[in-house]
Amino acid sequence: MAHLNIILPITLLLIGFLLKLFIGRNIETPSLIEALCELPVDIIFLALSFSIAFTLSKTENQANGLFFCFAGIAVAILVVALWRITIIYYLKKVKYFWPIILAINLFVSSYAIKKSVDLIIDGVEKIEKLDSEHNK
């Protein structure tokens, strides 16, 4: 499976999103919008967990991984703040402003998850390259 690095995180996010949406809630537009507004928070914490896994996986990854973890925490604060602002504007019925903030938040968190997956993939590729050079 060539695109497993994309499929697995998306599947995990989709499962979490659907569980939040369907378990213990009536499916109504406000619930759907609130769950959609929470999605960037789920994405950023998945990205942080990938960065932490990268950091803990090898001693050589610690310096680079810690940088990404601290940067990820700063981005997570931004994403959570944007999520709260989105909910406030949605509840105040500001029609055009909350979708723009949501789109920005989804972009920021999607970029973070892409970078964290790339971090892991690049680390695996470096290990495979070193192993293949060592075995020659």
Side-chain angles (χ1 to χ4, degrees):
M1 302 201 89
H3 301 290
L4 201 58
N5 59 333
I6 297 170
I7 294 169
L8 285 177
I10 289 174
T11 303
L12 183 61
L13 287 168
L14 186 63
I15 289 169
F17 177 75
L18 292 175
L19 287 173
K20 277 205 250 181
L21 188 61
F22 291 119
I23 305 290
R25 284 186 175 178
N26 294 330
I27 301 175
E28 299 169 349
T29 303
S31 297
L32 176 64
I33 290 174
E34 285 181 22
L36 190 61
C37 290
E38 291 173 8
L39 186 59
V41 176
D42 295 338
I43 293 170
I44 195 66
F45 281 104
L46 180 61
L48 269 173
S49 68
F50 288 163
S51 298
I52 290 169
F54 172 80
T55 304
L56 297 176
S57 65
K58 291 192 98 147
T59 317
E60 297 84 33
N61 296 344
Q62 288 179 353
N64 199 17
L66 281 174
F67 168 76
F68 279 101
C69 287
F70 288 130
I73 291 169
V75 173
I77 292 168
L78 173 69
V79 167
V80 169
L82 288 174
W83 163 51
R84 294 293 187 185
I85 292 168
T86 304
I87 294 294
I88 289 168
Y89 282 113
Y90 169 70
L91 293 175
K92 287 184 178 180
K93 307 227 186 279
V94 179
K95 291 184 181 183
Y96 300 108
F97 199 58
W98 73 266
I100 293 169
I101 297 172
L102 175 60
I104 291 168
N105 210 8
L106 283 168
F107 174 78
V108 168
S109 60
S110 296
Y111 182 76
I113 192 78
K114 181 193 178 320
K115 288 310 242 180
S116 68
V117 169
D118 289 347
L119 185 68
I120 292 174
I121 297 301
D122 290 344
V124 169
E125 288 174 355
K126 285 179 186 176
I127 291 170
E128 289 173 351
K129 183 179 177 183
L130 288 173
D131 285 344
S132 68
E133 289 175 359
H134 185 268
N135 292 332
K136 287 183 178 180

